[in-house]
């Protein structure tokens, strides 16, 4: 008696095509699930980082007795920063003030009028820096000024949301100098009201993104532009001076 083994029927072109489509669909569905999970995790991490960033800002407090600083630097971005820095200088905090990142079209006379400060204060103790184009430029402009005057402790006056990135860039440019934050506050982040303010949300999130990129650049050691006006034109940067 002979036994004949069953032979598989040859796959038809239509069956092979259907199987291939099914495999592609399975791969596609798997890939979509993985991408969805990765997106959800990324959004969760960004949200956690953002709210941790706002908590850090909310906990910033003005130093009660900053009398032991050598000088003050105010990073431009609003006259309130300059007003507070000038008030501190007139109260005897530090021996000089650098206003960093001033637009070249703004004269010292215009700053005096806008802040209502006595001319004598500007004439004796205020330096105006016209070189900085951004926060990195502020740090490099301040570093030149610090080296000129041999300062070691600097009070930094800027908006509270700008403090983390400012201190990071300043410390990178002047690692041997101690920087003390003097935050200028526009909104109380201890309450929940800012969450319903689209302008505040946008401002904070943009600053969080910039701060995150600055930290990544610092960690990786990546090089960046100096942020100084003269460097963009190929000229040698000039130090901050009174105009």
């Amino acid at each position: 008696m002979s036994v004949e083994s069953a032979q598989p029927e040859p796959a038809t072109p239509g069956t092979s095509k259907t199987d291939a489509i099914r495999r592609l669909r399975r791969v596609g569905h798997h890939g979509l699930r993985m991408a969805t999970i990765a997106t959800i995790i990324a959004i969760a991490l960004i949200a956690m980082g953002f709210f941790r960033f706002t908590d850090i800002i909310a906990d910033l407090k003005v130093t009660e007795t900053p009398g032991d600083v050598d000088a003050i630097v105010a990073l431009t971005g609003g006259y309130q920063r300059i007003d507070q820095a000038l008030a501190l200088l007139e109260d005897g905090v530090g021996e000089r003030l650098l206003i960093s990142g001033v637009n070249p079209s703004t004269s010292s006379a215009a700053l005096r009028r806008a802040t209502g400060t006595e001319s004598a204060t500007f004439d004796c103790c205020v330096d105006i820096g016209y070189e900085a184009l951004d926060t990195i430029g502020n740090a490099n402009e301040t570093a030149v000024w610090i080296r000129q005057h041999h300062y070691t402790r600097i009070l930094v006056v800027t908006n509270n949301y700008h403090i983390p990135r400012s201190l990071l860039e300043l410390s990178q440019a002047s690692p041997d100098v101690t920087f003390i934050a003097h935050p200028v506050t526009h909104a109380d982040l201890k309450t929940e009201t800012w969450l319903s303010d689209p302008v505040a949300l946008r401002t904070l999130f943009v600053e969080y993104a910039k701060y995150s990129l600055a930290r990544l650049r610092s960690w990786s050691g990546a090089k960046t532009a100096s942020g100084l006006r003269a460097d963009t034109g190929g000229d040698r940067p000039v130090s901050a001076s009174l105009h």
Side-chain angles (χ1 to χ4, degrees), residues 7-222:
Q7 298 295 325
E9 295 184 4
T12 63
T15 303
S16 300
K17 185 176 180 181
T18 301
D19 290 342
I21 292 173
R22 287 174 180 170
R23 284 195 295 270
L24 285 173
R25 283 178 177 172
R26 283 197 296 270
V27 171
H29 290 161
H30 180 71
L32 182 60
R33 282 197 299 269
M34 295 300 294
T36 301
I37 292 171
T39 300
I40 292 171
I41 292 173
I43 292 173
L45 290 174
I46 290 171
M48 290 170 58
F50 173 67
F51 285 108
R52 184 173 180 276
F53 175 73
T54 58
D55 284 343
I56 291 171
I57 294 171
D59 289 336
L60 289 173
K61 293 180 177 60
V62 173
T63 305
E64 303 228 350
T65 55
D68 61 341
V69 300
D70 299 323
I72 306 169
V73 58
L75 309 183
T76 54
Y79 278 113
Q80 190 175 356
R81 305 181 188 184
I82 301 173
D83 286 339
Q84 291 197 25
L86 286 166
L88 288 165
L89 182 67
E90 291 179 330
D91 286 343
V93 177
E95 64 181 45
R96 296 194 72 80
L97 163 65
L98 168 66
I99 304 174
S100 174
V102 178
N103 191 298
S105 64
T106 304
S107 66
S108 61
L111 284 175
R112 284 197 298 266
R113 288 193 300 270
T115 58
T117 308
E118 296 291 335
S119 297
T121 301
F122 266 81
D123 292 340
C124 82
C125 308
V126 178
D127 295 320
I128 302 177
Y130 291 103
E131 286 296 301
L133 294 169
D134 52 26
T135 304
I136 297 174
N138 289 140
N140 288 322
E141 183 172 61
T142 300
V144 173
W145 182 74
I146 287 171
R147 288 195 296 269
Q148 287 178 339
H149 296 282
H150 308 289
Y151 293 142
T152 59
R153 290 178 64 83
I154 301 292
L155 189 69
V156 181
V157 180
T158 188
N159 286 90
N160 57 349
Y161 61 81
H162 193 219
I163 286 288
R165 185 160 59 101
S166 299
L167 295 184
L168 176 63
E169 300 293 5
L170 286 163
S171 297
Q172 291 258 322
S174 304
D176 297 328
V177 176
T178 299
F179 294 98
I180 302 167
H182 184 93
V184 177
T185 303
H186 291 288
D188 184 6
L189 299 181
K190 289 289 188 181
T191 67
E192 302 294 328
T193 55
W194 64 272
L195 286 169
S196 59
D197 184 348
V199 175
L201 270 173
R202 182 171 62 252
T203 300
L204 288 168
F205 191 80
V206 169
E207 184 59 32
Y208 167 65
K210 290 180 178 179
Y211 174 60
S212 299
L213 289 174
R215 289 187 61 186
L216 178 61
R217 176 173 47 78
S218 174
W219 173 79
S220 66

